[in-house]
Amino acid sequence: MILKSQVEWALHCCAILAGLPEGRYLSTKALAELHGLPKEYLSKALQSLSQASLVDTTLGPSGGYRLARSPSEINFLDIVEAVEGKARSFTCTNIRENNPCRPAGYCDSKPCAVARVMWEADEAWRNTLRAVRLSDLVGTLSEEVPADIWQGTFQWVLQRAG
């Protein structure tokens, strides 16, 4: 399975937005600069998050984006589905019906074994993403990112937040 690069961008942006103080917003320009991304393309990912009600937006010189809910209320699956949609990653086209050895009019009573395995794997993947909240990510990052980089990033963001 290959996800759009916008999924990675959205996850990283949400991690940054999780650290914004109440009432502050961060512009698309600042998020693009921080991550070294083209602003125009990042804007599409942020719009997807907005349409899914994961971020709030405001216009004006101090406008931009902020999380619409607490980081503990947003999980990775919310973000992935905002960008990719909620459709299953595997679509069964039932090619087993093309088998020339099957009797005419034969009807299967359940989905094929291949589809069942793939759907089970898809659900396991979704459950894993559903179990990780933005607040968990922030906790992990605060432990893994060197303190000077962590603090420097936070200060950089605060200087640009409206």
Side-chain angles (χ1 to χ4, degrees), residues 88-93 110-126:
R88 286 179 169 163
S89 61
F90 177 80
T91 302
C92 178
T93 60
K110 59 185 174 182
C112 79
V114 169
R116 292 193 315 263
V117 168
M118 295 302 290
W119 292 337
E120 184 179 321
D122 183 76
E123 190 55 32
W125 176 77
R126 290 175 188 278

Side-chain angles (χ1 to χ4, degrees), residues 23-101:
R24 306 279 300 270
Y25 291 81
L26 197 58
S27 70
T28 305
K29 179 182 177 186
L31 286 164
E33 182 181 347
L34 178 65
H35 294 106
L37 300 171
K39 182 180 140 191
E40 297 73 23
Y41 294 120
L42 179 59
S43 180
K44 292 179 184 181
L46 294 169
Q47 287 171 5
S48 295
L49 296 173
S50 177
Q51 290 170 351
S53 299
L54 296 177
V55 297
D56 290 328
T57 65
T58 187
L59 300 173
S62 61
Y65 294 89
R66 66 170 293 99
L67 293 182
R69 302 188 305 250
S70 162
S72 64
E73 297 173 4
I74 299 173
N75 63 49
F76 270 47
L77 184 62
D78 295 329
I79 298 165
V80 170
E81 287 183 341
V83 176
E84 288 282 337
K86 296 183 180 192
R88 286 179 169 163
S89 61
F90 177 80
T91 302
C92 178
T93 60
N94 216 7
I95 65 170
R96 65 186 173 169
E97 291 178 351
N98 299 330
N99 182 339
C101 299

